[in-house]
Amino acid sequence: MKKLGIILLIATLFVSCSLSKVEKSARKTVDGNWVLNSVTYDAQGKFNTQLFNDATASCFTDSQWFFRSNNSTGTYNITNSDCSTGVRNFRWAANEMGKNSGNFDFTMKFTDAKKKDLDKNTGFRMNLRYLNDNTMQITQTIQFEGKPFNINLNFTRTTL
């Protein structure tokens, strides 16, 4: 009887921790190669932003991104020769906010090549604003002059 209780507890935990169908579908859609075509803003003006404490937004234009859904890892490669080029590794997650809402909290945390966290207490929380088979937009909201300010990362799927 005690074994049955433990098995039921483990099964309950497994079911409660599993991804919803919507989350599984989104993760499958994100999986693969993307290019970051542009960085846009929801406000008018000219801005010089630094993304992920790494490089300016202009350095990220045309960067190559890879998302692997089965282990939630990925890379991006900055190729702009005017910037600090190279591959960066990260761990990512897309968690639905509210059941079947289609609104996703997107998180990203930097890792080394062996997938170990570089800084245990630092990561980036964003919103997966739009996703289909060929287009994705991830938005980071920051405070600018005391108001919310959106930085939009606009991706298209590639076949590398």
Side-chain angles (χ1 to χ4, degrees):
M1 189 64 159
K2 189 174 183 181
K3 286 183 183 179
L4 180 62
I6 291 171
I7 291 171
L8 286 174
L9 177 64
I10 291 171
T12 302
L13 287 173
F14 180 73
V15 170
S16 65
C17 293
S18 67
L19 299 173
S20 72
K21 287 181 182 180
V22 174
E23 285 175 323
K24 286 178 186 176
S25 176
R27 288 178 61 83
K28 184 178 178 185
T29 303
V30 170
D31 192 74
N33 295 300
W34 298 81
V35 63
L36 196 155
N37 297 88
S38 65
V39 178
T40 59
Y41 309 95
D42 286 353
Q44 295 295 321
K46 196 167 191 157
F47 304 99
N48 183 22
T49 55
Q50 185 177 40
L51 301 177
F52 312 122
N53 297 329
D54 184 10
T56 62
S58 61
C59 290
F60 277 86
T61 300
D62 297 326
S63 58
Q64 305 294 317
W65 291 64
F66 174 70
F67 296 90
R68 179 175 287 123
S69 64
N70 69 346
N71 66 0
S72 302
T73 61
T75 60
Y76 66 84
N77 185 9
I78 293 179
T79 57
N80 184 332
S81 61
D82 294 332
C83 305
S84 177
T85 60
V87 175
R88 280 74 159 172
N89 298 286
F90 59 87
R91 185 169 303 285
W92 65 280
N95 299 308
E96 191 174 23
M97 298 169 19
K99 187 170 178 140
N100 296 320
S101 69
N103 189 16
F104 292 88
D105 189 33
F106 189 90
T107 56
M108 196 170 97
K109 192 169 188 169
F110 286 98
T111 66
D112 63 17
K114 294 183 179 182
K115 314 299 184 238
K116 295 193 187 272
D117 290 343
L118 291 178
D119 189 349
K120 293 182 187 211
N121 297 319
T122 302
F124 298 90
R125 181 175 303 271
M126 298 165 279
N127 181 265
L128 182 56
R129 185 183 270 186
Y130 181 80
L131 176 66
N132 69 25
D133 289 339
N134 299 307
T135 309
M136 173 169 60
Q137 184 181 66
I138 298 173
T139 300
Q140 183 177 21
T141 303
I142 61 170
Q143 291 295 313
F144 179 68
E145 296 179 346
K147 297 177 186 171
F149 180 80
N150 289 330
I151 303 168
N152 306 305
L153 308 176
N154 304 297
F155 295 87
T156 55
R157 184 173 301 279
T158 63
T159 53
L160 295 176

